[in-house]
Amino acid sequence: MVHWWSMLIKRTDPLRVAVLASGRGSNLQAVIDAIEAGTVQAKIVAVISNKKNSPALERACRHGLAGFFVDPKLHAGKPDSRESYDRELLSVLREHDVELVLLAGYMKIVTTVLVDAFVNRMMNIHPSLLPSFPGLDVQRKAIDWGCKLAGCTVHFVTEGVDEGPIILQAAVPILDDDSADSLAARILVQEHKIYPRAVQLFAEGRLRVEGRRVFIEQGKPAGEAVISPS
Ligand code: GRF
């Protein structure tokens, strides 16, 4: 079955985006900057965090965006605490007519409550070339495994962690003297390029999902192979 997940007709109003972030928020910043520069036609209508003092919320505030702290403690102790938390998130997302949700360093696993409400309308960015190295501390794992290439992936979010259909990837060579931090910094530069690009592709209605595969309508043919070491 073929699904079109965003509108094919050219839209006049900007895509309504929410960003969920727990920490530093540099990917949030990249999307904000791209919107302000006019390279992404979207509007961030909500920035939501599970951490009260997250720099992501400060960034939202600096740019005049609506920021929300949703407190996990109010749901702790309930038998379905994670679902209950996501129901509160969902009500914020619905109140703001959100069309696309971006997870950007959001350090909570989303439940089916959110996944089912935003099928192929929720993206995540992950600092590895998925399906290699899902989870945490992945730059270190790529180095320790002896990989010659690392990178980052934007994918749609499904129930399995870091498992959804892949939208865009960028590869980065692993250098002999790389530390996890130096590699993470080079990957992050690419994250800041591909996440806004994925949002713009969605806004333009150019992402088509067939099973696990995401096709980009009118995408450019792939370039040359990336070989590392060159
Ligand atoms: C990024 O490396 C992202 O790939 C991962 O978490 C990190 C978040 O960084 N999911 P930031 O908060 O966007 O700066």
Side-chain angles (χ1 to χ4, degrees):
M1 191 153 80
V2 176
H3 296 290
W4 288 92
W5 294 106
S6 41
M7 286 185 294
L8 286 169
I9 43 169
K10 196 163 168 51
R11 49 186 303 155
T12 48
D13 53 327
L15 176 74
R16 297 177 69 81
V17 174
V19 181
L20 273 53
S22 304
R24 154 183 81 171
S26 71
N27 279 289
L28 163 66
Q29 189 68 53
V31 176
I32 293 173
D33 292 346
I35 291 171
E36 289 182 356
T39 52
V40 169
Q41 272 79 53
K43 179 180 162 77
I44 298 177
V45 293
V47 175
I48 307 174
S49 186
N50 59 327
K51 301 279 180 198
K52 193 172 186 182
N53 299 314
S54 77
L57 286 179
E58 288 166 21
R59 289 181 197 269
C61 185
R62 276 203 296 278
H63 289 266
L65 303 173
F68 301 88
F69 163 56
V70 178
D71 191 350
K73 284 205 199 97
L74 300 178
H75 301 268
K78 296 183 187 172
D80 63 343
S81 59
R82 289 174 52 224
E83 287 78 7
S84 168
Y85 184 83
D86 280 358
R87 278 193 289 275
E88 186 176 349
L89 286 190
L90 187 56
S91 69
V92 177
L93 297 172
R94 289 204 165 128
E95 268 165 35
H96 291 83
D97 293 325
V98 169
E99 297 170 281
L100 176 68
V101 178
L102 303 178
L103 308 185
Y106 180 61
M107 300 305 285
K108 265 174 91 66
I109 295 172
V110 293
T111 68
T112 50
V113 171
L114 280 189
V115 172
D116 291 351
F118 285 92
V119 174
N120 291 345
R121 295 194 300 133
M122 176 157 45
M123 295 179 182
N124 181 42
I125 182 135
H126 180 76
S128 80
L129 291 174
L130 291 171
S132 294
F133 309 116
L136 297 173
D137 198 18
V138 295
Q139 298 92 342
R140 157 68 43 216
K141 287 175 186 162
I143 293 171
D144 289 349
W145 193 261
C147 297
K148 300 298 183 193
L149 285 168
C152 48
T153 303
V154 179
H155 63 94
F156 284 118
V157 176
T158 53
E159 226 185 310
V161 175
D162 301 327
E163 267 183 21
I166 291 169
I167 303 165
L168 289 176
Q169 293 185 305
V172 167
I174 297 180
L175 309 178
D176 288 347
D177 59 355
D178 256 332
S179 64
D181 285 347
S182 65
L183 178 60
R186 284 207 315 289
I187 292 173
L188 197 62
V189 172
Q190 301 307 316
E191 293 186 34
H192 297 164
K193 292 182 186 169
I194 66 171
Y195 216 2
R197 194 174 299 180
V199 176
Q200 179 58 13
L201 287 169
F202 187 97
E204 291 173 3
R206 289 172 58 195
L207 299 179
R208 178 166 53 88
V209 184
E210 284 184 38
R212 280 214 51 87
R213 299 187 69 190
V214 179
F215 295 91
I216 297 175
E217 294 304 308
Q218 296 155 355
K220 287 196 188 128
E224 287 182 8
V226 180
I227 300 174
S228 173
S230 60

Short mmCIF file of all heavy atoms in Angstrom, two decimals, residues 84-141:
data_model
loop_
_atom_site.label_atom_id
_atom_site.label_comp_id
_atom_site.label_asym_id
_atom_site.label_seq_id
_atom_site.Cartn_x
_atom_site.Cartn_y
_atom_site.Cartn_z
N SER A 84 0.32 7.69 30.47
CA SER A 84 -0.37 8.82 31.06
C SER A 84 0.37 10.12 30.73
O SER A 84 -0.24 11.14 30.37
CB SER A 84 -0.44 8.59 32.58
OG SER A 84 -0.84 9.74 33.24
N TYR A 85 1.69 10.08 30.81
CA TYR A 85 2.50 11.25 30.44
C TYR A 85 2.26 11.62 28.97
O TYR A 85 2.03 12.79 28.64
CB TYR A 85 3.98 10.93 30.67
CG TYR A 85 4.89 12.12 30.41
CD1 TYR A 85 5.09 13.09 31.39
CD2 TYR A 85 5.53 12.26 29.18
CE1 TYR A 85 5.90 14.19 31.14
CE2 TYR A 85 6.34 13.35 28.93
CZ TYR A 85 6.54 14.32 29.92
OH TYR A 85 7.35 15.40 29.66
N ASP A 86 2.28 10.61 28.12
CA ASP A 86 2.10 10.88 26.69
C ASP A 86 0.69 11.40 26.38
O ASP A 86 0.51 12.17 25.44
CB ASP A 86 2.41 9.63 25.86
CG ASP A 86 3.91 9.45 25.67
OD1 ASP A 86 4.68 10.32 26.15
OD2 ASP A 86 4.33 8.45 25.04
N ARG A 87 -0.30 11.00 27.18
CA ARG A 87 -1.64 11.54 26.96
C ARG A 87 -1.66 13.05 27.23
O ARG A 87 -2.30 13.81 26.51
CB ARG A 87 -2.67 10.82 27.84
CG ARG A 87 -3.14 9.49 27.23
CD ARG A 87 -4.37 8.95 27.93
NE ARG A 87 -4.09 8.47 29.27
CZ ARG A 87 -3.62 7.25 29.56
NH1 ARG A 87 -3.43 6.36 28.59
NH2 ARG A 87 -3.38 6.90 30.81
N GLU A 88 -0.89 13.45 28.25
CA GLU A 88 -0.82 14.90 28.52
C GLU A 88 -0.10 15.61 27.35
O GLU A 88 -0.54 16.67 26.89
CB GLU A 88 -0.09 15.18 29.84
CG GLU A 88 -0.15 16.66 30.18
CD GLU A 88 0.47 17.03 31.53
OE1 GLU A 88 0.77 16.13 32.34
OE2 GLU A 88 0.67 18.24 31.73
N LEU A 89 0.99 15.00 26.87
CA LEU A 89 1.68 15.58 25.71
C LEU A 89 0.72 15.70 24.53
O LEU A 89 0.67 16.72 23.86
CB LEU A 89 2.85 14.71 25.28
CG LEU A 89 4.12 14.69 26.12
CD1 LEU A 89 5.22 13.94 25.36
CD2 LEU A 89 4.59 16.10 26.43
N LEU A 90 -0.02 14.63 24.30
CA LEU A 90 -0.92 14.60 23.15
C LEU A 90 -1.95 15.72 23.24
O LEU A 90 -2.28 16.36 22.23
CB LEU A 90 -1.61 13.23 23.08
CG LEU A 90 -2.47 12.95 21.86
CD1 LEU A 90 -1.68 13.13 20.57
CD2 LEU A 90 -3.03 11.52 21.93
N SER A 91 -2.41 16.00 24.43
CA SER A 91 -3.42 17.06 24.54
C SER A 91 -2.77 18.42 24.20
O SER A 91 -3.40 19.26 23.55
CB SER A 91 -4.12 17.07 25.89
OG SER A 91 -3.23 17.47 26.88
N VAL A 92 -1.52 18.62 24.59
CA VAL A 92 -0.84 19.87 24.22
C VAL A 92 -0.67 19.92 22.69
O VAL A 92 -0.92 20.96 22.06
CB VAL A 92 0.55 19.98 24.91
CG1 VAL A 92 1.28 21.25 24.46
CG2 VAL A 92 0.41 19.95 26.42
N LEU A 93 -0.28 18.80 22.10
CA LEU A 93 -0.08 18.77 20.65
C LEU A 93 -1.38 19.05 19.91
O LEU A 93 -1.42 19.78 18.92
CB LEU A 93 0.50 17.41 20.23
CG LEU A 93 1.89 17.07 20.80
CD1 LEU A 93 2.27 15.64 20.48
CD2 LEU A 93 2.95 18.03 20.27
N ARG A 94 -2.47 18.48 20.42
CA ARG A 94 -3.78 18.68 19.75
C ARG A 94 -4.27 20.12 19.92
O ARG A 94 -4.81 20.70 18.98
CB ARG A 94 -4.80 17.70 20.31
CG ARG A 94 -4.47 16.28 19.83
CD ARG A 94 -5.70 15.37 19.83
NE ARG A 94 -5.43 14.18 19.06
CZ ARG A 94 -5.62 12.94 19.50
NH1 ARG A 94 -6.11 12.73 20.70
NH2 ARG A 94 -5.35 11.91 18.73
N GLU A 95 -4.05 20.66 21.13
CA GLU A 95 -4.46 22.06 21.36
C GLU A 95 -3.81 23.00 20.35
O GLU A 95 -4.34 24.05 20.02
CB GLU A 95 -4.01 22.52 22.75
CG GLU A 95 -5.01 22.31 23.86
CD GLU A 95 -4.33 22.45 25.22
OE1 GLU A 95 -3.41 23.28 25.35
OE2 GLU A 95 -4.72 21.70 26.13
N HIS A 96 -2.61 22.62 19.90
CA HIS A 96 -1.86 23.49 18.99
C HIS A 96 -1.93 23.03 17.53
O HIS A 96 -1.15 23.49 16.70
CB HIS A 96 -0.40 23.60 19.45
CG HIS A 96 -0.28 24.37 20.73
ND1 HIS A 96 -0.49 23.78 21.96
CD2 HIS A 96 -0.05 25.67 20.96
CE1 HIS A 96 -0.36 24.70 22.89
NE2 HIS A 96 -0.08 25.86 22.32
N ASP A 97 -2.85 22.12 17.25
CA ASP A 97 -3.05 21.65 15.87
C ASP A 97 -1.74 21.23 15.21
O ASP A 97 -1.45 21.63 14.06
CB ASP A 97 -3.72 22.73 15.00
CG ASP A 97 -5.13 23.00 15.45
OD1 ASP A 97 -5.79 22.04 15.89
OD2 ASP A 97 -5.55 24.17 15.40
N VAL A 98 -0.94 20.48 15.94
CA VAL A 98 0.38 20.09 15.43
C VAL A 98 0.24 19.06 14.31
O VAL A 98 -0.51 18.09 14.42
CB VAL A 98 1.24 19.54 16.59
CG1 VAL A 98 2.51 18.90 16.06
CG2 VAL A 98 1.56 20.66 17.57
N GLU A 99 0.98 19.30 13.24
CA GLU A 99 0.96 18.38 12.09
C GLU A 99 2.18 17.47 12.08
O GLU A 99 2.12 16.35 11.57
CB GLU A 99 0.93 19.18 10.79
CG GLU A 99 -0.32 20.03 10.65
CD GLU A 99 -0.20 20.98 9.48
OE1 GLU A 99 0.48 22.02 9.62
OE2 GLU A 99 -0.78 20.67 8.43
N LEU A 100 3.31 17.97 12.56
CA LEU A 100 4.55 17.19 12.56
C LEU A 100 5.24 17.37 13.91
O LEU A 100 5.41 18.50 14.39
CB LEU A 100 5.48 17.68 11.43
CG LEU A 100 6.86 17.01 11.36
CD1 LEU A 100 6.73 15.54 10.97
CD2 LEU A 100 7.77 17.74 10.38
N VAL A 101 5.64 16.24 14.50
CA VAL A 101 6.36 16.26 15.78
C VAL A 101 7.82 15.90 15.52
O VAL A 101 8.10 14.92 14.83
CB VAL A 101 5.75 15.26 16.78
CG1 VAL A 101 6.53 15.26 18.10
CG2 VAL A 101 4.29 15.55 17.03
N LEU A 102 8.72 16.68 16.09
CA LEU A 102 10.15 16.38 15.97
C LEU A 102 10.70 16.01 17.34
O LEU A 102 10.58 16.80 18.29
CB LEU A 102 10.93 17.60 15.45
CG LEU A 102 10.48 18.19 14.12
CD1 LEU A 102 11.33 19.42 13.80
CD2 LEU A 102 10.58 17.15 13.01
N LEU A 103 11.30 14.84 17.44
CA LEU A 103 12.04 14.50 18.65
C LEU A 103 13.47 14.97 18.43
O LEU A 103 14.10 14.60 17.43
CB LEU A 103 12.01 12.99 18.91
CG LEU A 103 10.64 12.31 18.92
CD1 LEU A 103 10.77 10.84 19.32
CD2 LEU A 103 9.67 13.03 19.85
N ALA A 104 13.96 15.78 19.33
CA ALA A 104 15.30 16.36 19.14
C ALA A 104 16.04 16.28 20.47
O ALA A 104 15.94 17.17 21.30
CB ALA A 104 15.19 17.80 18.67
N GLY A 105 16.71 15.13 20.68
CA GLY A 105 17.36 14.92 21.96
C GLY A 105 16.31 14.76 23.06
O GLY A 105 16.48 15.26 24.17
N TYR A 106 15.22 14.09 22.73
CA TYR A 106 14.15 13.86 23.69
C TYR A 106 14.43 12.54 24.38
O TYR A 106 14.39 11.47 23.75
CB TYR A 106 12.81 13.84 22.97
CG TYR A 106 11.63 13.62 23.88
CD1 TYR A 106 11.34 14.52 24.91
CD2 TYR A 106 10.79 12.51 23.72
CE1 TYR A 106 10.26 14.32 25.74
CE2 TYR A 106 9.70 12.31 24.54
CZ TYR A 106 9.44 13.22 25.56
OH TYR A 106 8.36 13.02 26.39
N MET A 107 14.75 12.60 25.67
CA MET A 107 15.30 11.43 26.36
C MET A 107 14.22 10.62 27.07
O MET A 107 14.44 10.13 28.19
CB MET A 107 16.38 11.88 27.36
CG MET A 107 17.54 12.61 26.70
SD MET A 107 18.31 11.65 25.37
CE MET A 107 19.21 10.45 26.33
N LYS A 108 13.07 10.48 26.45
CA LYS A 108 12.04 9.58 26.97
C LYS A 108 11.57 8.72 25.81
O LYS A 108 11.48 9.22 24.68
CB LYS A 108 10.84 10.38 27.49
CG LYS A 108 10.87 10.65 28.98
CD LYS A 108 9.73 11.56 29.39
CE LYS A 108 8.49 10.81 29.79
NZ LYS A 108 8.60 9.99 30.99
N ILE A 109 11.27 7.48 26.10
CA ILE A 109 10.75 6.61 25.04
C ILE A 109 9.27 6.92 24.84
O ILE A 109 8.51 6.93 25.82
CB ILE A 109 10.98 5.14 25.40
CG1 ILE A 109 12.50 4.85 25.45
CG2 ILE A 109 10.30 4.21 24.41
CD1 ILE A 109 12.87 3.50 25.96
N VAL A 110 8.89 7.21 23.60
CA VAL A 110 7.48 7.54 23.38
C VAL A 110 6.66 6.24 23.29
O VAL A 110 7.13 5.24 22.78
CB VAL A 110 7.27 8.42 22.13
CG1 VAL A 110 7.86 9.80 22.32
CG2 VAL A 110 7.82 7.76 20.89
N THR A 111 5.43 6.33 23.78
CA THR A 111 4.56 5.14 23.80
C THR A 111 3.64 5.16 22.59
O THR A 111 3.59 6.13 21.84
CB THR A 111 3.69 5.13 25.08
OG1 THR A 111 2.76 6.22 24.99
CG2 THR A 111 4.54 5.27 26.34
N THR A 112 2.84 4.12 22.49
CA THR A 112 1.90 4.02 21.38
C THR A 112 0.87 5.17 21.40
O THR A 112 0.28 5.48 20.37
CB THR A 112 1.13 2.68 21.41
OG1 THR A 112 0.60 2.51 22.71
CG2 THR A 112 2.03 1.52 21.06
N VAL A 113 0.69 5.77 22.57
CA VAL A 113 -0.26 6.90 22.65
C VAL A 113 0.14 7.97 21.64
O VAL A 113 -0.69 8.49 20.89
CB VAL A 113 -0.29 7.48 24.09
CG1 VAL A 113 -1.09 8.77 24.14
CG2 VAL A 113 -0.83 6.46 25.07
N LEU A 114 1.43 8.29 21.60
CA LEU A 114 1.90 9.31 20.65
C LEU A 114 2.16 8.72 19.27
O LEU A 114 1.84 9.32 18.25
CB LEU A 114 3.20 9.94 21.16
CG LEU A 114 3.10 11.03 22.22
CD1 LEU A 114 4.46 11.67 22.41
CD2 LEU A 114 2.07 12.08 21.85
N VAL A 115 2.77 7.53 19.26
CA VAL A 115 3.15 6.93 17.98
C VAL A 115 1.91 6.74 17.10
O VAL A 115 1.91 7.08 15.92
CB VAL A 115 3.87 5.57 18.21
CG1 VAL A 115 4.09 4.84 16.90
CG2 VAL A 115 5.21 5.80 18.92
N ASP A 116 0.83 6.23 17.70
CA ASP A 116 -0.38 5.97 16.92
C ASP A 116 -1.07 7.25 16.47
O ASP A 116 -1.75 7.28 15.44
CB ASP A 116 -1.38 5.11 17.72
CG ASP A 116 -0.85 3.69 17.93
OD1 ASP A 116 0.17 3.35 17.30
OD2 ASP A 116 -1.45 2.95 18.72
N ALA A 117 -0.90 8.31 17.25
CA ALA A 117 -1.54 9.58 16.88
C ALA A 117 -0.76 10.31 15.79
O ALA A 117 -1.32 11.17 15.11
CB ALA A 117 -1.67 10.48 18.11
N PHE A 118 0.51 9.96 15.62
CA PHE A 118 1.35 10.67 14.64
C PHE A 118 2.10 9.68 13.74
O PHE A 118 3.30 9.79 13.56
CB PHE A 118 2.33 11.60 15.37
CG PHE A 118 1.65 12.83 15.91
CD1 PHE A 118 1.15 12.85 17.20
CD2 PHE A 118 1.48 13.96 15.12
CE1 PHE A 118 0.50 13.97 17.70
CE2 PHE A 118 0.82 15.08 15.60
CZ PHE A 118 0.33 15.08 16.89
N VAL A 119 1.36 8.76 13.17
CA VAL A 119 1.99 7.77 12.29
C VAL A 119 2.59 8.48 11.08
O VAL A 119 1.90 9.21 10.36
CB VAL A 119 0.94 6.72 11.82
CG1 VAL A 119 1.56 5.79 10.78
CG2 VAL A 119 0.43 5.94 13.01
N ASN A 120 3.89 8.29 10.89
CA ASN A 120 4.62 8.95 9.80
C ASN A 120 4.46 10.46 9.82
O ASN A 120 4.58 11.13 8.79
CB ASN A 120 4.22 8.37 8.43
CG ASN A 120 4.71 6.95 8.28
OD1 ASN A 120 5.57 6.51 9.05
ND2 ASN A 120 4.19 6.23 7.33
N ARG A 121 4.20 10.98 11.01
CA ARG A 121 4.16 12.44 11.21
C ARG A 121 5.00 12.80 12.43
O ARG A 121 4.88 13.87 13.00
CB ARG A 121 2.72 12.92 11.40
CG ARG A 121 1.85 12.72 10.17
CD ARG A 121 0.56 13.50 10.26
NE ARG A 121 -0.25 13.11 11.39
CZ ARG A 121 -0.83 13.96 12.23
NH1 ARG A 121 -0.67 15.26 12.08
NH2 ARG A 121 -1.59 13.52 13.23
N MET A 122 5.85 11.86 12.86
CA MET A 122 6.77 12.14 13.98
C MET A 122 8.15 11.67 13.55
O MET A 122 8.34 10.52 13.13
CB MET A 122 6.31 11.42 15.25
CG MET A 122 7.26 11.59 16.41
SD MET A 122 6.47 11.33 18.05
CE MET A 122 5.53 9.87 17.80
N MET A 123 9.14 12.57 13.65
CA MET A 123 10.51 12.25 13.24
C MET A 123 11.43 12.27 14.45
O MET A 123 11.17 12.94 15.44
CB MET A 123 11.03 13.29 12.25
CG MET A 123 10.31 13.35 10.92
SD MET A 123 11.06 14.66 9.89
CE MET A 123 10.01 14.54 8.44
N ASN A 124 12.54 11.54 14.30
CA ASN A 124 13.61 11.56 15.31
C ASN A 124 14.94 11.71 14.59
O ASN A 124 15.07 11.30 13.44
CB ASN A 124 13.59 10.25 16.11
CG ASN A 124 14.66 10.22 17.18
OD1 ASN A 124 14.88 11.22 17.88
ND2 ASN A 124 15.35 9.10 17.32
N ILE A 125 15.90 12.29 15.29
CA ILE A 125 17.27 12.31 14.76
C ILE A 125 18.16 11.52 15.70
O ILE A 125 18.05 11.64 16.92
CB ILE A 125 17.80 13.74 14.54
CG1 ILE A 125 19.21 13.68 13.93
CG2 ILE A 125 17.82 14.57 15.81
CD1 ILE A 125 19.45 14.61 12.80
N HIS A 126 19.01 10.67 15.09
CA HIS A 126 19.82 9.76 15.89
C HIS A 126 21.26 9.82 15.36
O HIS A 126 21.48 9.79 14.15
CB HIS A 126 19.25 8.34 15.76
CG HIS A 126 20.03 7.34 16.54
ND1 HIS A 126 19.92 7.23 17.91
CD2 HIS A 126 20.95 6.42 16.16
CE1 HIS A 126 20.73 6.28 18.34
NE2 HIS A 126 21.37 5.78 17.30
N PRO A 127 22.24 9.87 16.26
CA PRO A 127 23.62 10.07 15.81
C PRO A 127 24.37 8.79 15.41
O PRO A 127 25.50 8.56 15.84
CB PRO A 127 24.28 10.75 17.02
CG PRO A 127 23.55 10.21 18.18
CD PRO A 127 22.13 9.95 17.73
N SER A 128 23.74 7.95 14.62
CA SER A 128 24.45 6.81 14.02
C SER A 128 23.80 6.52 12.68
O SER A 128 22.72 7.04 12.37
CB SER A 128 24.37 5.56 14.91
OG SER A 128 23.13 4.90 14.73
N LEU A 129 24.47 5.69 11.91
CA LEU A 129 23.89 5.23 10.65
C LEU A 129 23.02 4.03 10.97
O LEU A 129 23.48 2.88 10.96
CB LEU A 129 25.00 4.88 9.65
CG LEU A 129 25.82 6.07 9.13
CD1 LEU A 129 26.99 5.59 8.27
CD2 LEU A 129 24.95 7.04 8.35
N LEU A 130 21.77 4.28 11.29
CA LEU A 130 20.85 3.17 11.63
C LEU A 130 20.71 2.24 10.43
O LEU A 130 20.82 2.69 9.30
CB LEU A 130 19.49 3.75 12.04
CG LEU A 130 19.47 4.50 13.37
CD1 LEU A 130 18.14 5.21 13.58
CD2 LEU A 130 19.75 3.55 14.55
N PRO A 131 20.51 0.94 10.62
CA PRO A 131 20.16 0.31 11.88
C PRO A 131 21.36 -0.05 12.76
O PRO A 131 21.19 -0.72 13.78
CB PRO A 131 19.42 -0.95 11.44
CG PRO A 131 20.04 -1.31 10.13
CD PRO A 131 20.37 -0.01 9.48
N SER A 132 22.58 0.39 12.38
CA SER A 132 23.70 0.16 13.30
C SER A 132 23.58 1.10 14.49
O SER A 132 23.27 2.28 14.31
CB SER A 132 25.04 0.45 12.62
OG SER A 132 25.27 -0.48 11.60
N PHE A 133 23.85 0.58 15.63
CA PHE A 133 23.96 1.36 16.87
C PHE A 133 22.73 2.18 17.24
O PHE A 133 22.78 3.41 17.29
CB PHE A 133 25.20 2.27 16.81
CG PHE A 133 26.45 1.53 16.43
CD1 PHE A 133 27.11 1.84 15.25
CD2 PHE A 133 26.94 0.51 17.23
CE1 PHE A 133 28.24 1.15 14.87
CE2 PHE A 133 28.08 -0.19 16.85
CZ PHE A 133 28.73 0.13 15.66
N PRO A 134 21.61 1.52 17.48
CA PRO A 134 20.50 2.23 18.14
C PRO A 134 20.88 2.48 19.60
O PRO A 134 21.88 1.94 20.08
CB PRO A 134 19.34 1.25 18.03
CG PRO A 134 19.99 -0.10 17.93
CD PRO A 134 21.33 0.10 17.26
N GLY A 135 20.11 3.29 20.30
CA GLY A 135 20.32 3.46 21.74
C GLY A 135 21.27 4.60 22.06
O GLY A 135 21.34 5.59 21.35
N LEU A 136 22.02 4.41 23.14
CA LEU A 136 22.84 5.50 23.70
C LEU A 136 24.33 5.26 23.47
O LEU A 136 24.74 4.15 23.15
CB LEU A 136 22.57 5.63 25.21
CG LEU A 136 21.12 5.99 25.60
CD1 LEU A 136 20.95 5.91 27.11
CD2 LEU A 136 20.76 7.37 25.06
N ASP A 137 25.11 6.33 23.63
CA ASP A 137 26.58 6.27 23.56
C ASP A 137 27.05 5.67 22.24
O ASP A 137 28.01 4.89 22.20
CB ASP A 137 27.10 5.44 24.76
CG ASP A 137 28.58 5.69 25.03
OD1 ASP A 137 29.10 6.71 24.56
OD2 ASP A 137 29.21 4.84 25.69
N VAL A 138 26.38 6.04 21.18
CA VAL A 138 26.57 5.33 19.91
C VAL A 138 27.84 5.75 19.16
O VAL A 138 28.38 4.97 18.39
CB VAL A 138 25.33 5.49 19.01
CG1 VAL A 138 24.14 4.82 19.66
CG2 VAL A 138 25.01 6.95 18.73
N GLN A 139 28.31 6.98 19.42
CA GLN A 139 29.56 7.39 18.76
C GLN A 139 30.72 6.55 19.30
O GLN A 139 31.57 6.06 18.55
CB GLN A 139 29.83 8.89 18.99
CG GLN A 139 28.74 9.80 18.41
CD GLN A 139 27.65 10.14 19.40
OE1 GLN A 139 27.49 9.46 20.42
NE2 GLN A 139 26.89 11.19 19.11
N ARG A 140 30.73 6.35 20.61
CA ARG A 140 31.76 5.49 21.25
C ARG A 140 31.67 4.07 20.69
O ARG A 140 32.68 3.44 20.37
CB ARG A 140 31.53 5.53 22.78
CG ARG A 140 32.06 4.39 23.59
CD ARG A 140 33.57 4.28 23.68
NE ARG A 140 34.23 5.54 23.88
CZ ARG A 140 35.41 5.88 23.34
NH1 ARG A 140 36.06 5.01 22.59
NH2 ARG A 140 35.94 7.05 23.55
N LYS A 141 30.44 3.58 20.55
CA LYS A 141 30.27 2.19 20.07
C LYS A 141 30.77 2.05 18.65
O LYS A 141 31.37 1.03 18.29
CB LYS A 141 28.79 1.78 20.15
CG LYS A 141 28.34 1.53 21.59
CD LYS A 141 26.85 1.26 21.66
CE LYS A 141 26.40 1.15 23.11
NZ LYS A 141 24.95 1.30 23.27
#
